Amino acid sequence: MDTIKITQAMFPQFNVYSTPLLILVIQGLILMVLLLKRYFEKKNTSDAILAVLLLIVSYTQTCYTIGFMGWYDTFRNTKINYFLIPTGTAIAPLIYLYVKSITKSNFNFLRKHWWHFAIPITLVLYRLTIYTYDYSQSGFQETQNGVLKIDLDEAIIQPILNVVDFSVMLLYLAFTIQLYIHYKQKIKQYFSNVFKLELNWIRNFLIVFTFLFLYSSIQSVVGSFIIDLGYNERWWLNLAMAICAIYIGVKGYFTDTTKLNKLDFSFSPKQISIPEHTKEAKKEISEIAIEAIAALMEREKPYLNPDLNLSELAKQANLTRGQLSEIVNSGFNMNFNDFVNSYRVNAFKSMLKEGKHEQLSLLGVAFECGFNSKATFNRVFKKLTSFSPTQYLQSQSN
């Protein structure tokens, strides 16, 4: 009895390995609760998906945290190995669905979306099955792993699961990155000022999970083929996952992504409805349309509105969104974003010539011209002129 008491006193151990993970896991769970609370209040599906994502990451880290705290050394017959399921098969579709919930208008989680989780659900049922069988065998209470866990799961299934986990994560990351790139291009075709803050969040979200995927893959290769990695060597990946989970939770909670999935892209750019008489007639009408849009931009200066979008400009031009998009793309050889910003840049140059920068800062002049952020202004100006605003001003002074 005394021996048992001394052994049990080994848990919990607060050390350099367990303490940072414990703190980060608790923070991750708090952020999960906050996201769920906001979901029940505002019914944003993206909050629920991100909360589940944090829950799964926190669960994995909890298993490692109590290990570093001495649980498994103290209680040698703990059956945790039955419930350490490769989480990549669940995290991967959650990453995809989270980005889709942000970028798709009025996204709702439907019954068909459960098919994304067929593999992790099957794995849970499989582990419960072998646990039930092993539990029924004599001597199971005195050991950590039963006969099926050793002879079936670890010997045959686990190596297959490692390959499946890698493949699923790789495929879903590729699909999600493609989804993000496509959405970003659509925004440039529709809005004059890109939602840079929200798009940067999606980009950083994907970078974080790509980094963790690469880190985990390299660690698996090193541990399997080069050198055996112990529990302490694998601590760094768990620390990285815990830190990334906090970043994702905080940024996901404080970044307003609801404006993105409310955008309406329900149109297809198409040719202007014009007579089919001759190629010359088509060309003449196209040139008239291009000149009319250029005249509208010069006369009405709609680009001064920082929230100008394709629909608003199409109304002013008495065109459909598809017609205007075709004119901008084919006639001016630009997407809508670059088209409008080119006028803003020219307006900025004109104001510099008038000496407006002597009363206002360069950023103040940029805001007067329709830009809505310093970052967007600097990026667009550099893209269209090959100069920074300051360099351009100096070149004009010389």
Side-chain angles (χ1 to χ4, degrees), residues 21-248:
L21 287 181
L22 179 62
I23 294 172
L24 292 170
V25 165
I26 292 173
Q27 291 177 331
L29 292 173
I30 291 172
L31 289 167
M32 179 208 70
V33 171
L34 291 175
L35 284 164
L36 281 178
K37 180 176 180 294
R38 190 167 69 181
Y39 165 72
F40 287 117
E41 291 173 351
K42 299 184 177 181
K43 302 302 180 183
N44 295 327
T45 306
S46 58
D47 285 340
I49 295 174
L50 190 59
V52 174
L53 185 58
L54 285 178
L55 175 62
I56 293 176
V57 174
S58 296
Y59 166 76
T60 303
Q61 298 312 305
T62 299
C63 295
Y64 279 95
T65 300
I66 62 175
F68 285 113
M69 295 176 71
W71 178 280
Y72 308 130
D73 292 329
T74 304
F75 309 104
R76 301 294 297 179
N77 60 347
T78 298
K79 307 303 187 291
I80 189 64
N81 290 335
Y82 287 86
F83 307 101
L84 284 177
I85 298 170
T87 55
T89 56
I91 291 175
L94 286 170
I95 293 171
Y96 173 76
L97 290 174
Y98 177 69
V99 174
K100 194 164 187 176
S101 70
I102 294 174
T103 57
K104 183 178 179 181
S105 179
N106 300 318
F107 176 87
N108 288 308
F109 190 89
L110 305 175
R111 185 179 299 176
K112 66 179 182 180
H113 292 131
W114 282 108
W115 285 106
H116 290 284
F117 304 96
I119 294 177
I121 291 173
T122 301
L123 288 178
V124 171
L125 295 176
Y126 155 73
R127 285 288 180 84
L128 287 174
T129 300
I130 66 170
Y131 176 80
T132 302
Y133 177 85
D134 286 348
Y135 183 84
S136 66
Q137 303 303 303
S138 61
F140 181 67
Q141 300 301 328
E142 286 74 39
T143 185
Q144 187 178 52
N145 300 314
V147 59
L148 283 186
K149 184 67 179 73
I150 296 174
D151 295 339
L152 174 63
D153 188 65
E154 295 189 358
I156 301 174
I157 303 300
Q158 196 63 41
I160 297 175
L161 284 181
N162 290 336
V163 176
V164 171
D165 195 58
F166 172 86
S167 302
V168 169
M169 182 62 80
L170 179 63
L171 287 173
Y172 270 98
L173 278 176
F175 290 146
T176 310
I177 291 171
Q178 184 181 40
L179 176 66
Y180 162 70
I181 293 173
H182 180 63
Y183 182 79
K184 188 175 181 180
Q185 292 302 318
K186 284 205 302 184
I187 279 190
K188 288 183 178 180
Q189 292 288 354
Y190 187 80
F191 291 94
S192 61
N193 273 316
V194 180
F195 292 84
K196 190 170 180 62
L197 178 65
E198 292 78 17
L199 290 177
N200 282 353
W201 157 235
I202 301 176
R203 180 201 64 194
N204 294 344
F205 176 81
L206 292 174
I207 288 175
V208 164
F209 279 104
T210 301
F211 162 74
L212 291 175
F213 169 67
L214 292 174
Y215 191 154
S216 176
S217 300
I218 293 172
Q219 178 176 276
S220 297
V221 170
V222 171
S224 300
F225 301 104
I226 300 177
I227 185 174
D228 184 40
L229 297 177
Y231 210 64
N232 290 350
E233 286 79 14
R234 296 177 183 271
W235 175 80
W236 293 101
L237 174 60
N238 291 282
L239 179 66
M241 289 182 65
I243 292 174
C244 289
I246 299 304
Y247 169 76
I248 289 168

Side-chain angles (χ1 to χ4, degrees), residues 275-316:
E276 295 290 336
H277 302 309
T278 64
K279 291 183 179 180
E280 290 75 14
K282 286 184 183 181
K283 182 177 180 181
E284 181 180 348
I285 292 177
S286 296
E287 289 176 351
I288 291 174
I290 293 169
E291 291 173 1
I293 295 300
L296 173 66
M297 297 297 287
E298 294 291 345
R299 183 179 66 253
E300 303 293 338
K301 297 180 172 38
Y303 55 84
L304 297 180
N305 174 13
D307 297 320
L308 180 68
N309 61 44
L310 191 66
S311 286
E312 293 178 0
L313 187 58
K315 288 179 182 178
Q316 294 184 44

